[in-house]
Amino acid sequence: MNELLTAVRAGRHHEVPPLVLALDRPGRRAALAELKELRKEARGWDWQRRDRIRKALLVAGAGCHTGAAGCAAWIRGRDLRDWTRSPYPLILASLKDRDPEWLGDLAHRFAGRAALSDAEYTFVGELTRIAGVPLPVTDNLVVGWAELVGAARWRGRTRRPLTDILRDDPHTAVLASRLFEMPELPPQVDFHDAPDSQDHWPGALCALADDGVLDRAHLVERCVTRLMRGGKSVDQRFFLAVLLRLGTTEEVEDRHLRDWTAMAADGIAPVASHAQQVLVRLDARGVLSTRELADVSGAVLFRQEKKLVRAQLTLLGKALRRDASTVGELLPAVAEAFGHEAIDVQERALKLVARYLPGAEDLGVREQLASAAGQLGPLHRESVAALFGDLVVEAAAGAYEEFLPPAPVLRPLEPAPETVAELVEEVAARVKAHASEHWIPSSAVMDTSDGITGFERALDGLVRLARTDREELTGALREALAGVHFVEHGLSPYMIDPRYISTSHGLSVVVASLLGLVSERDRVAWRAKTTVKGADACAHAALNGVLLDRVWEAVEAIAAGRAPFLVATPTWHTGAIEAAELVERLRAYQELGACPGPADFAQALLRVRRNSGPEGAAAAAAEALGTGEGDRLAAWIRADEPVAPVLRHPATAVSRPSAGNWWQRTTTGARQVLLATRERLVIQREFPEAFHWLGRAQLPHARECYHWGPERSSHWTATLPEDPETLAAWLLPDLLFAADQGQRGAVGFLPALAESAGEAGGAMHLALAYGLGARHPEDRTAAVDALLVLAARGRLDGASLGRELAILVDRDLVKVNRTADALGTAAATGAYRTVLTVLAAMLPGLLAYEKTPRGLGDLLSVAAGCAERCGTDGIPPIAGLAATAGRKGSSQTVRQAARLLAAFPAGAEESTPEATNPDVPSPMAVGPEAVGPQAIGSQASDAERKDQGMAGLGI
């Protein structure tokens, strides 16, 4: 036994199997106990020392286990799996004296655990071969098999065909069939859409079915079942590809009639299209009854895919042409298409109804059709009236009511935990969520739903209880966080770098300091890193530096025992502090003879509500304290100035050339539309050095930062809860990249920013415009949430937002189709008037192009839908709409323009100034942004011209 342990400690894994085989049963049990202790000991070693013995320890432990269950658990241990070469031949060698029944049991237990690799699949195969038992067909084993097959294709100098590899594997018949039973396909079972290729999985499986290796009928049944069940889109496409290659007989199609109708109604588009084609064949053979056709048509016509809807209308038209007596059942199904958003679909359905309506003798059917046609817009009103006559009942015109979400209300921050147990539970949960010995990529980190509030409560609780119950607190933290990497090995460099931190890392710094893991020298050096300097400094690192500076100051306050609590703890969930409450906190410090930390007080000033309560009351109360902090608070409230005033960008109108490619239709200069901010000297003079970046003048700079994660940004809005304009201006480059280059997750802070108490001006509306044009749907959804929040609070300037969108489209920074999707989503919530106001200001610039921008038809469709629901009262006519509607052809743009034009009073456009002079600002424009670039020199003040020039440097 001693020889075995010596070999293991030395990492001589090749010597382990004979040493294990030399031990008897009691000797193996005794050695196993020693190996378990060594395994525990090795967990605390550095990785190089641990890696040296890992394989030897794995082989020795597997060989010394006398039970199959324990042996399987040992082999699957995560801490024993960082090997470069497979250890399984050595394990098999150490188990060669076991009886076949024991090896078969081990194979079954091992195959039933987590997903297996190709090496583990080979190991199980060898165990079953030696034991003479069937291969245990489990989902995990199939994953390992698929990985092995994928790797085998690339071994050698030439790529082997997949079909040949599968034919040579003796287990292909049972394992390939298992693919059709698994909840999800293994990721290695990939394929490409090449209909004639045999060198991907669908083609190879069908070739095996042709060879008789796989049962064709069974595969067809399983494919239909899996398509009926649904699941991941990639899996659905796989089973559809197999089914298309195998083909289906008429008997199979007839037997699965119900399945085809369900797929056509609810399947993904490719599956629904195939099911629809099968239904066409079933209808031609007379298998599909009229009632079944009507039922499935109602569901298919409700889908968004126009190709499916058109094909279904064609099928209905064939059925009506073949048997005119079915009008009573089929025409109501056709009428379902009246509710489709596409105008050409509506027209096609209306023509179909008009063609076969004379055959509908039942008055009830006619009334039903007339009622359905009543939902068509003004463009079809005359046709509907001529078709149904008196059966069309005009709906009573009532006052339109906008449906907006409730305006967000301020939620008070819960007090800090008062007991050690409660605080430790909360701190441990937040720290463990993000604790890692390595840097976590931004895409993998998401602050918890309570955002900044949980962090602030925990930080304040640590300061409070460390002053009163420090010994109990440190003991409870050490116990609760045992095994967390930074507790065992110290803080990682990523946890103290302002470019990478999250709020959980901030708590980790405080906890590590409480547990004595941070030396005085490290504390001084690490706090110096919180100050962001240099031309390459970005807003993310600066805002994170403010958070980290507060954290290190809290560490120093805890060590000195001088801080009873933190004055910067928010009053509300947005991060804002009531001025009267901050005054009371300063009074409590004064009574205790203490002074708040400079960073803590500076953050409190940035968070205090400057315009809440009676005019001057809070400032007077602060001044009455007679302290330096009280005087600074009074001066800050009375000044009531933004942290960094935002300068306007000069692009207040779109360019309108008559021709040229898209990239030639941009305004002069670079494409980016960004904002600059002025300096704020009081921040540079009176605030700690870590805050100075916030007070410097910032020129717009479009730079994508790779060191930060937008998902870590919950504390950014809480750092400046009274200044959403400033924060929006600083973070505009992120939103630009989200729209122009597809950066994911950068829009997530917009809803919180929309809830901030400060003014929502040009920067906020420009940020919102970028967000609505973001590439990824989840980012556009976040922008829609922000839009609705601003509208609910009465702070949305729809005309300003529309003009910003037109400018960004002109600069090719946002795509029209993405913007249409976002605004359509907003309209679908019931905010039709809000969206129409935005589009009324956006569309004139886009309609002025000679070459129609891609997606303009979708945008006009959204506008038309809004106008039909909310009316156009108070909405100025849209310049260029009549000209677009009068163009030749039947494109989506022309049709939707005509539909939108029908919602306005006749001749309204000709009475507007824009119809004759495109340089005249829209009557909806308010504020300085209404001034076009050509008017800046004559109408702007000297100060404004100076601001204009600074902003123009970054555009």
Side-chain angles (χ1 to χ4, degrees):
M1 182 180 72
N2 291 332
E3 293 181 11
L4 174 62
L5 293 175
T6 301
V8 171
R9 285 185 175 276
R12 300 194 299 268
H13 48 270
H14 290 291
E15 300 178 12
V16 170
L19 293 174
V20 169
L21 294 174
L23 297 175
D24 57 9
R25 193 178 185 88
R28 293 183 185 184
R29 288 178 177 172
L32 180 61
E34 295 292 335
L35 292 171
K36 288 181 178 179
E37 291 299 322
L38 178 59
R39 183 180 180 181
K40 292 180 182 179
E41 179 187 341
R43 287 171 180 163
W45 297 352
D46 63 83
W47 69 270
Q48 291 175 322
R49 185 182 177 193
R50 187 170 61 244
D51 193 57
R52 187 167 56 250
I53 73 162
R54 184 175 283 128
K55 187 180 293 188
L57 183 58
L58 173 65
V59 175
C64 289
H65 270 87
T66 57
C71 183
W74 182 274
I75 298 173
R76 293 294 298 164
R78 287 181 176 271
D79 56 330
L80 301 176
R81 294 177 56 79
D82 285 345
W83 27 263
T84 54
R85 290 179 178 272
S86 173
Y88 295 118
L90 296 175
I91 294 176
L92 288 171
S94 67
L95 298 176
K96 70 178 183 179
D97 61 342
R98 305 301 173 94
D99 60 80
E101 185 179 353
W102 191 94
L103 293 176
D105 187 19
L106 174 63
H108 280 78
R109 291 180 182 276
F110 190 76
R113 299 179 69 85
L116 305 181
S117 66
D118 56 342
E120 292 162 326
Y121 164 74
T122 304
F123 174 60
V124 173
E126 282 298 302
L127 286 175
T128 55
R129 184 189 62 80
I130 297 171
V133 297
L135 189 73
V137 183
T138 65
D139 291 348
N140 298 325
L141 194 72
V142 174
V143 173
W145 170 70
E147 185 175 323
L148 179 66
V149 170
R153 301 174 69 180
W154 303 100
R155 289 175 185 162
R157 295 186 177 181
T158 59
R159 175 178 173 179
R160 288 189 65 195
L162 178 60
T163 307
D164 293 347
I165 297 173
L166 294 177
R167 285 195 182 105
D168 294 342
D169 193 320
H171 304 299
T172 292
V174 292
L175 295 178
S177 298
R178 183 75 179 195
L179 287 172
F180 295 82
E181 311 289 338
M182 298 174 65
E184 291 184 5
L185 288 173
Q188 296 81 7
V189 183
D190 56 350
F191 74 100
H192 52 87
D193 296 320
D196 300 325
S197 175
Q198 296 291 334
D199 200 27
H200 59 61
W201 281 88
L205 293 176
C206 293
L208 294 177
D210 294 338
D211 295 344
V213 178
L214 299 177
D215 185 351
R216 175 184 293 271
H218 175 73
L219 294 186
V220 169
E221 290 295 324
R222 293 309 305 165
C223 284
V224 174
T225 302
R226 289 304 304 269
L227 294 175
M228 177 63 186
R229 184 195 304 173
K232 293 171 59 176
S233 175
V234 64
D235 291 357
Q236 294 282 287
R237 292 175 184 273
F238 174 87
F239 293 115
L240 179 61
V242 175
L243 183 63
L244 290 174
R245 284 174 169 269
L246 292 175
T248 51
T249 63
E250 293 185 358
E251 188 273 332
V252 171
E253 291 180 349
D254 296 349
R255 188 170 67 251
H256 290 283
L257 171 61
R258 298 291 183 185
D259 296 332
W260 305 123
T261 58
M263 290 181 213
D266 302 319
I268 63 173
V271 174
S273 178
H274 173 69
Q276 192 178 56
Q277 294 171 21
V278 176
L279 292 176
V280 171
R281 293 196 292 270
L282 293 175
D283 179 66
R285 296 199 298 266
V287 178
L288 185 65
S289 67
T290 302
R291 183 69 266 158
E292 289 168 332
L293 176 59
D295 290 342
V296 71
S297 296
V300 174
L301 295 177
F302 189 73
R303 298 181 64 114
Q304 297 296 314
E305 300 91 344
K306 292 196 290 185
K307 181 179 180 181
L308 292 175
V309 174
R310 292 193 192 103
Q312 196 66 26
L313 288 175
T314 300
L315 177 59
L316 288 168
K318 290 180 179 179
L320 288 166
R321 193 160 52 247
R322 184 175 59 244
D323 186 359
S325 64
T326 60
V327 294
E329 289 185 273
L330 296 185
L331 283 187
V334 173
E336 294 289 338
F338 292 160
H340 199 275
E341 61 181 12
I343 190 171
D344 57 329
V345 170
Q346 297 175 2
E347 291 178 351
R348 192 166 184 171
L350 186 60
K351 290 178 180 178
L352 196 58
V353 169
R355 183 179 304 162
Y356 294 101
L357 183 63
E361 300 177 355
D362 189 340
L363 181 60
V365 172
R366 285 176 166 268
E367 291 177 346
Q368 182 181 355
L369 295 173
S371 176
Q375 63 183 305
L376 294 171
L379 186 63
H380 302 110
R381 199 161 291 159
E382 293 183 5
S383 300
V384 171
L387 183 60
F388 294 101
D390 297 338
L391 294 178
V392 180
V393 179
E394 291 286 341
Y400 170 73
E401 181 179 358
E402 186 88 342
F403 288 99
L404 294 173
V409 295
L410 291 174
R411 301 188 302 275
L413 186 72
E414 296 182 7
E418 298 181 353
T419 65
V420 171
E422 183 184 358
L423 175 63
V424 169
E425 180 182 3
E426 185 167 335
V427 170
R430 295 185 66 86
V431 167
K432 287 181 178 180
H434 294 166
S436 174
E437 60 181 296
H438 303 295
W439 174 62
I440 304 175
S442 64
S443 60
V445 177
M446 179 68 73
D447 279 332
T448 52
S449 58
D450 58 352
I452 193 65
T453 58
F455 165 75
E456 292 288 350
R457 290 179 68 250
L459 183 62
D460 190 35
L462 287 171
V463 171
R464 290 173 183 267
L465 293 181
R467 189 168 185 258
T468 58
D469 302 290
R470 179 163 185 170
E471 185 174 349
E472 181 185 358
L473 177 61
T474 54
L477 286 172
R478 194 181 303 277
E479 180 180 355
L481 297 174
V484 174
H485 186 268
F486 80 85
V487 176
E488 302 293 335
H489 304 284
L491 293 171
S492 165
Y494 296 105
M495 304 173 77
I496 48 88
D497 192 324
R499 295 174 298 173
Y500 305 105
I501 68 161
S502 67
T503 54
S504 296
H505 293 150
L507 290 180
S508 299
V509 168
V510 179
V511 170
S513 302
L514 275 170
L515 299 181
L517 303 176
V518 180
S519 66
E520 178 66 16
R521 179 175 135 188
D522 287 342
R523 181 193 61 75
V524 173
W526 288 343
R527 188 176 184 187
K529 293 182 178 181
T530 62
T531 301
V532 177
K533 300 178 180 179
D536 292 335
C538 63
H540 323 116
L543 295 167
N544 290 345
V546 169
L547 172 75
L548 200 53
D549 194 54
R550 289 182 58 218
V551 167
W552 283 118
E553 184 179 86
V555 167
E556 295 173 1
I558 289 173
R562 65 173 184 262
F565 55 84
L566 297 178
V567 298
T569 303
T571 305
W572 306 106
H573 77 284
T574 60
I577 303 176
E578 288 294 338
E581 184 172 345
L582 182 55
V583 171
E584 292 305 314
R585 293 176 185 175
L586 294 177
R587 181 174 287 113
Y589 261 84
Q590 184 183 33
E591 293 173 353
L592 293 172
C595 294
D600 188 29
F601 181 65
Q603 176 63 89
L605 288 180
L606 297 179
R607 286 177 171 172
V608 70
R609 301 188 70 186
R610 300 188 292 265
N611 56 358
S612 63
E615 183 83 22
E623 198 171 38
L625 293 175
T627 64
E629 289 78 10
D631 293 342
R632 288 178 60 190
L633 174 58
W636 184 267
I637 294 175
R638 286 173 178 150
D640 192 16
E641 295 180 7
V643 170
V646 180
L647 307 178
R648 295 183 295 117
H649 70 79
T652 54
V654 297
S655 59
R656 300 183 179 183
S658 59
N661 295 320
W662 184 256
W663 56 87
Q664 295 173 329
R665 294 202 308 269
T666 57
T667 52
T668 304
R671 293 171 54 236
Q672 289 83 4
V673 178
L674 300 171
L675 299 176
T677 57
R678 284 180 183 165
E679 65 178 357
R680 184 82 185 276
L681 293 178
V682 66
I683 293 179
Q684 299 183 60
R685 292 169 180 168
E686 300 181 6
F687 282 50
E689 190 177 8
F691 291 72
H692 286 182
W693 187 96
L694 310 182
R696 300 192 190 108
Q698 303 295 336
L699 293 177
H701 184 39
R703 180 185 65 242
E704 187 172 12
C705 298
Y706 297 96
H707 59 258
W708 68 279
E711 296 88 347
R712 301 173 186 258
S713 62
S714 65
H715 60 281
W716 295 347
T717 53
T719 302
L720 301 175
E722 291 290 295
D723 296 279
E725 278 289 284
T726 301
L727 193 58
W730 288 342
L731 299 180
L732 276 177
D734 308 326
L735 300 172
L736 183 152
F737 285 113
D740 190 39
Q741 298 185 17
Q743 180 175 280
R744 189 185 295 271
V747 189
F749 70 93
L750 275 184
L753 201 63
E755 291 189 37
S756 299
E759 174 192 0
M764 185 67 199
H765 285 76
L766 180 57
L768 189 57
Y770 274 121
L772 293 172
R775 176 180 297 180
H776 299 289
E778 62 270 24
D779 289 330
R780 296 198 294 271
T781 300
V784 169
D785 291 341
L787 182 150
L788 295 176
V789 168
L790 288 177
R793 300 181 67 196
R795 299 192 174 194
L796 179 69
D797 184 345
S800 175
L801 177 59
R803 290 192 297 272
E804 296 290 3
L805 282 167
I807 292 169
L808 297 185
V809 169
D810 182 73
R811 301 288 182 96
D812 198 20
L813 291 170
V814 302
K815 307 299 182 186
V816 178
N817 56 342
R818 296 174 188 167
T819 306
D821 174 76
L823 292 176
T825 301
T829 66
Y832 297 109
R833 176 55 62 95
T834 299
V835 173
L836 184 58
T837 303
V838 174
L839 289 172
M842 179 183 179
L843 283 171
L846 306 187
L847 294 173
Y849 290 125
E850 181 178 309
K851 184 177 180 181
T852 302
R854 183 179 181 183
L856 181 57
D858 297 331
L859 203 64
L860 288 167
S861 176
V862 174
C866 293
E868 290 169 357
R869 288 170 174 83
C870 70
T872 58
D873 294 340
I875 302 294
I878 300 172
L881 183 61
T884 303
R887 292 178 184 173
K888 297 180 180 180
S890 57
S891 67
Q892 173 80 343
T893 299
V894 173
R895 287 169 175 265
Q896 296 297 343
R899 178 186 171 196
L900 177 58
L901 184 64
F904 283 91
E909 183 182 359
E910 286 72 11
S911 63
T912 62
E914 296 92 327
T916 57
N917 185 4
D919 292 331
V920 177
S922 165
M924 297 181 67
V926 293
E929 283 81 358
V931 182
Q934 69 281 359
I936 289 176
S938 60
Q939 299 187 24
S941 66
D942 292 339
E944 288 174 334
R945 284 196 294 271
K946 180 180 178 181
D947 296 348
Q948 189 74 65
M950 289 185 65
L953 292 175
I955 295 178

